[in-house]
Amino acid sequence: CYHNAIHEVLPAEDVWEGKHIIFAGQECPMKTDLKTPGGQVFVIDDTDPAAPKTIGEWHLPADTGVWTVEYQASPHYLALYNRTLFISDYHAGIWAADVSNASLLKSPPSIGVFVPSITPIIAPAKNETAPMDEQVDVFPDGTIVLNDDTTGLYVVKFDAANPGPAAPGYKYS
């Protein structure tokens, strides 16, 4: 992915442990090698706006290999509820990452995923595949709305008291 391919920037509403944090998600049309993740969400401390610092990153917990379609497992939109970051990741579903304390911000662990499994009514275009998760929004009560371009609109709820097991991190050279 291109290092400057930022699609969305999402600031935390409050100061966290004395720092102001923003999340900047990439959008990657292609992944052409196995040396870098297919797209990251950067964790940035911009407490001093004149000197923002990247302090961490989230990426898929396993390598997806070289992509066969555009945006195959690229981050797209971000949403934040309490201290859980939700990432719509095109063909890889919507992911939940734990950003509950400063010690996790270097490499926020994945704690849940939802991948729509309904067969599309209309076959995706030639260079596409289902699902294709685009927009993710979280309402004040924690209800998550996910727009999947190929299968429709989903309304789901993440249960923070019962997170999925954290997937092991992938080590990129």
Side-chain angles (χ1 to χ4, degrees):
C1 186
Y2 313 108
H3 292 290
N4 59 353
I6 299 300
H7 183 270
E8 181 171 25
V9 175
L10 177 67
E13 289 186 17
D14 302 316
V15 173
W16 292 3
E17 290 97 26
K19 298 182 186 299
H20 187 261
I21 303 297
I22 61 173
F23 300 94
Q26 292 184 307
E27 183 176 37
C28 304
M30 298 302 293
K31 179 174 184 277
T32 57
D33 65 47
L34 299 176
K35 297 177 186 165
T36 58
Q40 297 123 286
V41 176
F42 298 103
V43 182
I44 300 167
D45 174 354
D46 73 338
T47 306
D48 176 359
K53 295 178 279 203
T54 301
I55 59 172
E57 69 173 61
W58 175 90
H59 53 77
L60 288 173
D63 188 11
T64 57
V66 175
W67 296 351
T68 57
V69 296
E70 282 189 328
Y71 305 108
Q72 185 165 330
S74 172
H76 197 226
Y77 284 103
L78 309 172
L80 193 59
Y81 179 71
N82 293 332
R83 295 272 184 108
T84 302
L85 180 67
F86 295 97
I87 305 106
S88 64
D89 218 69
Y90 278 116
H91 305 93
I94 176 176
W95 287 79
D98 185 356
V99 292
S100 62
N101 65 63
S103 69
L104 299 174
L105 296 180
K106 181 176 181 183
S107 184
S110 299
I111 55 173
V113 64
F114 172 76
V115 180
S117 60
I118 295 173
T119 302
I121 294 170
I122 299 171
K126 180 180 176 184
N127 292 328
E128 285 302 329
T129 188
M132 187 160 178
D133 300 328
E134 290 251 5
Q135 183 72 32
V136 60
D137 289 303
V138 181
F139 288 89
D141 69 350
T143 300
I144 301 166
V145 177
L146 170 66
N147 173 44
D148 180 85
D149 282 359
T150 58
T151 62
L153 195 64
Y154 296 83
V155 179
V156 297
K157 189 104 175 181
F158 175 72
D159 182 0
N162 187 24
Y170 184 80
K171 302 293 183 198
Y172 292 94
S173 58

